[in-house]
Amino acid sequence: MTAMLKAVPGTNDIFAQAKEYPFREPVFRYIIQTAEEVLRGAGAQMIHTPIFEYLEVLQKGVGLTSDIVVKKEMYILEDRGGRVLGLRPEPTASIVRAYNQHGMKVWPQPVRLFTWGPIFRAERHQKGRYKQFHQVDYEALGLSDPLLDAEAIALMVRIYKTLGLKNLEVKLGSVGDPEDRTRYNLYLRELFRPHAERLSEDSRVRLEANPMRILDSKSEQDQQIVAELQVKPMLEFLGDASRSFHERVCQYLTQLGIAFTVDPSIVRGLDYYVRTAWEVHHAQIGAKSALGGGGRYDGLSEMLGGPQVPGVGFGIGIERVAIALEQEGVAIPPDPSPTLYLAPLDEAAKIEALALAEQLRPKVYVELGYTPKSPRKALEEALKKGARYVGFLGEGERARGVITLKHLESGEQTELEPLQLHSLFEGPDPK
Ligand code: AMP
């Protein structure tokens, strides 16, 4: 006998009764719908891009020295023509690729887009870190103005707050312009080189390729060396242009009344960030506390063979937000319960019940009792489902051309012809 096949560990089925909170569909939907309302309300347009792209798009998108590439976290596939594809490890590169491909540069700028969907990273899975997870993602493209950075942060915070989260911390940093980073990287290489042997294997690679990445290494050993060496933060290496940009983002956030701390340790995981970089953390979810992160990526489009297109955006980890909602005990709006539970009492009534349900739907939320059952059983089912009415269809009803309708709260029972039933449900909230 074949053993029952299961999903890949680190991937999850999302449905209403899922055991773990982050995978309960109503929670998931609440997060997506809330984010969608906030972002549409701010004039952003929804975009859906493919979940796989040519590997080149994705690799250039995250940068060759990012964890995603260095640690081989990308899922790579080959199609039948031998072309190498990857499953997206973040959505920004695909959105910038789409912006270029569809000539959005001639549209009024900025073009503000958002999406939500699955993201794939071949990481070691644990609570809060999965191989397939989901993000809401927002990007504002085509204008380099600190106002857009402040707006993106404000929108992200608004999404969390609208969801009902309280214990938020916005950590803002700047990774400077490429010239600033060259200077900073020189400084870091000189500082770390004498200690190279004590660094983790990954960080030894980073030391030459992109030493800034050592600063947010997850290895304790690396973190200890970083602390010992009292590394100067990137912020001290900002040039005039990136410094004044950073100061303006700070000033705008203050004017908007958004609490934040300047955190020089924010270097962000992806190579292509310039200037603004931020993360939003949640006090109660511990080590995996980042609910989302964002940043500016003015050089990305050119890396993808497009024109110069400045951009700023963020990604929100849906499962992480769900964990935070659970921690804070935020009540999720309950799904509606059926208005009518329609129960066939015999075989012949099954199709009649379905036909009636089809007439009443979608105006009336009707659930069917598919298998004929006794009125007592049907009543129990209706109560279990939280229905307002139970309707019985049996031999007697068929003969009289009616259905028996019972209001569950009052216990009142009447016989109604189908037309009367329609008019009963005519109003917005039939009692
Ligand atoms: P990143 O693109 O790595 O900055 O990720 C953005 C957000 O997605 C993070 O702040 C997390 O909330 C979430 N996230 C990142 N990686 C994972 C993962 N493996 N599993 C679940 N959520 C993740």
Side-chain angles (χ1 to χ4, degrees):
M1 208 174 74
T2 314
M4 188 179 64
L5 300 176
K6 295 194 173 165
V8 177
T11 68
N12 299 286
D13 298 313
I14 294 158
F15 60 109
Q17 296 83 354
K19 259 202 217 117
E20 288 182 64
Y21 199 78
F23 314 125
R24 294 202 189 143
E25 193 277 336
V27 181
F28 211 76
R29 179 164 22 110
Y30 172 61
I31 297 169
I32 291 163
Q33 279 178 353
T34 305
E36 188 170 339
E37 274 165 34
V38 170
L39 296 174
R40 276 194 203 281
Q45 268 186 44
M46 178 90 111
I47 182 169
H48 287 296
T49 60
I51 58 166
F52 59 87
E53 299 268 358
Y54 289 123
L55 186 62
E56 226 185 324
V57 173
L58 303 175
Q59 272 184 343
K60 288 204 168 139
V62 291
L64 295 177
T65 63
S66 65
D67 269 6
I68 292 171
V69 172
V70 174
K71 293 197 176 166
K72 303 193 170 49
E73 286 174 358
M74 193 112 71
Y75 282 99
I76 297 174
L77 22 140
E78 202 175 289
D79 75 1
R80 290 212 214 161
R83 282 162 296 237
V84 186
L85 313 172
L87 295 184
R88 63 176 180 195
E90 59 86 38
T92 311
S94 303
I95 292 180
V96 174
R97 195 259 318 128
Y99 174 98
N100 290 337
Q101 189 169 339
H102 305 293
M104 297 187 199
K105 198 169 167 66
V106 303
W107 299 4
Q109 305 294 309
V111 174
R112 293 152 67 247
L113 301 167
F114 74 99
T115 193
W116 75 270
I119 303 291
F120 306 88
R121 292 187 197 169
E123 297 189 86
R124 259 208 359 226
H125 73 274
Q126 49 190 297
K127 184 167 179 181
R129 195 171 283 288
Y130 313 101
K131 289 184 159 58
Q132 174 175 331
F133 61 100
H134 298 77
Q135 277 187 5
V136 171
D137 188 79
Y138 164 87
E139 313 291 346
L141 294 149
L143 197 65
S144 184
D145 186 324
L147 194 72
L148 293 184
D149 306 45
E151 184 187 36
I153 297 171
L155 286 172
M156 196 175 180
V157 169
R158 185 124 59 86
I159 292 171
Y160 296 130
K161 289 202 169 152
T162 311
L163 283 166
L165 290 175
K166 293 202 175 68
N167 300 322
L168 301 169
E169 204 185 338
V170 179
K171 297 181 180 188
L172 178 68
S174 172
V175 295
D177 282 329
E179 318 75 88
D180 310 337
R181 280 158 78 155
T182 307
R183 277 187 284 127
Y184 191 48
N185 281 339
L186 274 176
Y187 156 77
L188 291 177
R189 270 193 208 104
E190 272 176 26
L191 190 70
F192 281 114
R193 255 191 209 127
H195 307 272
E197 278 174 15
R198 289 161 60 213
L199 287 171
S200 70
E201 211 182 309
D202 287 337
S203 284
R204 279 202 293 274
V205 177
R206 293 178 182 130
L207 182 57
E208 295 315 317
N210 185 358
M212 262 177 91
R213 310 269 327 122
I214 299 174
L215 303 182
D216 72 346
S217 160
K218 287 172 200 123
S219 142
E220 267 179 37
Q221 185 187 337
D222 291 346
Q223 281 310 327
Q224 204 182 327
I225 299 172
V226 170
E228 263 173 40
L229 294 178
Q230 300 192 336
V231 184
K232 286 190 206 163
M234 175 71 229
L235 287 176
E236 288 184 24
F237 286 74
L238 297 186
D240 288 346
S242 54
R243 172 175 311 283
S244 92
F245 196 96
H246 174 65
E247 283 165 0
R248 273 193 290 159
V249 177
C250 293
Q251 184 197 327
Y252 292 160
L253 288 176
T254 308
Q255 284 176 268
L256 291 171
I258 292 170
F260 67 98
T261 50
V262 172
D263 184 336
S265 70
I266 300 289
V267 288
R268 301 284 300 138
L270 312 179
D271 279 3
Y272 55 71
Y273 280 103
V274 294
R275 300 190 172 184
T276 315
W278 74 89
E279 284 177 3
V280 176
H281 288 253
H282 188 263
Q284 272 165 287
I285 65 174
K288 308 283 162 318
S289 70
L291 295 184
R296 176 161 281 284
Y297 47 85
D298 294 351
L300 175 59
S301 165
E302 282 161 300
M303 273 194 246
L304 299 175
Q308 214 275 325
V309 179
V312 63
F314 62 73
I316 290 179
I318 296 179
E319 287 84 350
R320 292 273 178 89
V321 170
I323 294 171
L325 289 169
E326 184 180 22
Q327 294 285 343
E328 284 201 22
V330 174
I332 304 296
D335 277 344
S337 41
T339 304
L340 173 63
Y341 179 79
L342 200 51
L345 305 180
D346 60 16
E347 274 302 311
K350 275 165 54 179
I351 182 62
E352 284 175 40
L354 176 58
L356 184 57
E358 280 294 288
Q359 284 170 25
L360 294 169
R361 289 168 177 168
K363 197 158 177 257
V364 186
Y365 172 7
V366 184
E367 279 208 28
L368 276 185
Y370 292 92
T371 324
K373 46 181 76 66
S374 69
R376 192 178 53 79
K377 266 256 168 259
L379 192 69
E380 273 173 26
E381 277 296 307
L383 283 169
K384 227 192 281 169
K385 290 185 182 283
R388 242 188 340 253
Y389 291 91
V390 59
F392 306 111
L393 266 169
E395 207 182 340
E397 283 82 7
R398 193 157 46 247
R400 295 191 294 280
V402 295
I403 78 157
T404 304
L405 193 72
K406 189 180 178 81
H407 187 243
L408 288 168
E409 206 181 287
S410 65
E412 243 170 67
Q413 188 162 314
T414 39
E415 284 196 350
L416 293 177
E417 287 170 10
L419 265 183
Q420 293 174 298
L421 194 66
H422 281 278
S423 52
L424 173 73
F425 291 121
E426 212 88 289
D429 185 19
K431 282 272 140 59

